[in-house]
């Protein structure tokens, strides 16, 4: 058994660049299924059920320490591809040995909002970018844990294609 302890560090890359993008912290998207309410014969009252493979908005916020050309990139009306690469510290409980496992979050989307922050002497200005992702991927230790591609009908969790029956029914 192993115990994930802490994200020791991470870097943000933009569209395959080799250099990291600014000094940032990132709020990654919540994955919230879209739901439908059903009621009728055989159901006592009302029941809320998830709609298979449909999720709400996948909003990602990137907070920059200061205004920079990196922030300005997100004002271009193009798809933005981002890549977060992290190092997660894990303790193997049997031996007590700590090791690092790679964690990677990738996404593609459009800018919803760019906040240029504030100006105050001796402080960062806390600029930010909010993206609406159409594609989201989470990899842990080289294994794709989650892949959601809203435009290509892909919803995979731990290697399981959760939409295989839906896509067959649609002729995809």
């Amino acid at each position: 058994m192993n115990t994930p302890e802490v994200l020791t560090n991470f870097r943000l890359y933009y569209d395959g660049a080799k250099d990291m993008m600014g000094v940032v912290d990132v709020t990654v998207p919540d994955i919230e299924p879209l739901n439908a309410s059903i009621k009728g014969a055989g159901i006592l009252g009302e029941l809320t059920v998830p709609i298979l493979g449909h999720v709400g908005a996948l909003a990602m916020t990137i907070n920059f320490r200061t205004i920079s050309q990196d922030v300005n990139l997100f004002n271009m009306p193009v798809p933005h591809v981002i890549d977060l690469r992290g190092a997660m510290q894990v303790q193997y409980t049997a031996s007590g040995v700590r090791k690092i496992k790679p964690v990677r979050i990738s996404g593609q989307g459009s800018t919803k909002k760019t906040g240029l922050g504030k100006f105050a002497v001796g402080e960062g200005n806390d600029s930010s970018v909010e993206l609406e992702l159409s594609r989201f991927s989470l990899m842990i230790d080289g294994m794709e844990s989650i892949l959601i591609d809203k435009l290509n009908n892909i919803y995979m969790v731990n290697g399981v294609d959760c939409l295989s029956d839906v896509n067959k029914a649609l002729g995809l």
Side-chain angles (χ1 to χ4, degrees):
M1 181 173 173
N2 59 48
T3 304
E5 293 181 326
V6 67
L7 185 66
T8 61
N9 209 339
F10 78 96
R11 289 185 173 213
L12 172 67
Y13 298 94
Y14 181 86
D15 201 21
K18 300 266 188 241
D19 294 327
M20 75 173 199
M21 180 176 252
V23 176
V24 301
D25 65 74
V26 179
T27 301
V28 297
D30 291 332
I31 300 171
E32 183 178 345
L34 291 182
N35 296 300
S37 293
I38 60 172
K39 59 182 177 179
I43 298 173
L44 297 176
E46 192 174 342
L47 187 61
T48 301
V49 297
I51 302 170
L52 188 60
H54 290 256
V55 295
L58 295 172
M60 175 180 277
T61 303
I62 304 169
N63 299 305
F64 290 84
R65 182 87 179 118
T66 61
I67 292 177
S68 67
Q69 292 300 341
D70 291 339
V71 175
N72 201 35
L73 281 173
F74 291 98
N75 288 313
M76 295 292 296
V78 298
H80 301 288
V81 178
I82 56 95
D83 193 17
L84 293 161
R85 294 181 181 220
M88 179 175 54
Q89 179 176 301
V90 176
Q91 183 180 129
Y92 291 84
T93 53
S95 65
V97 173
R98 288 185 171 88
K99 294 189 178 184
I100 297 297
K101 288 190 176 190
V103 177
R104 183 176 180 179
I105 290 178
S106 302
Q108 178 176 320
S110 302
T111 302
K112 287 176 67 173
K113 178 173 68 172
T114 302
L116 298 177
K118 65 181 188 307
F119 272 61
V121 175
E123 295 181 17
N125 76 307
D126 301 325
S127 55
S128 65
V129 172
E130 186 176 349
L131 299 175
E132 172 63 33
L133 301 181
S134 58
R135 182 177 175 90
F136 174 82
S137 170
L138 168 65
M139 294 185 77
I140 301 172
D141 201 20
M143 179 186 154
E144 192 159 59
S145 297
I146 299 171
L147 173 58
I148 298 171
D149 189 327
K150 292 182 168 193
L151 303 178
N152 291 299
N153 252 39
I154 299 171
Y155 190 102
M156 307 227 2
V157 178
N158 293 333
V160 176
D161 182 354
C162 298
L163 290 178
S164 63
D165 290 340
V166 172
N167 288 332
K168 278 184 206 170
L170 297 175
L172 300 175

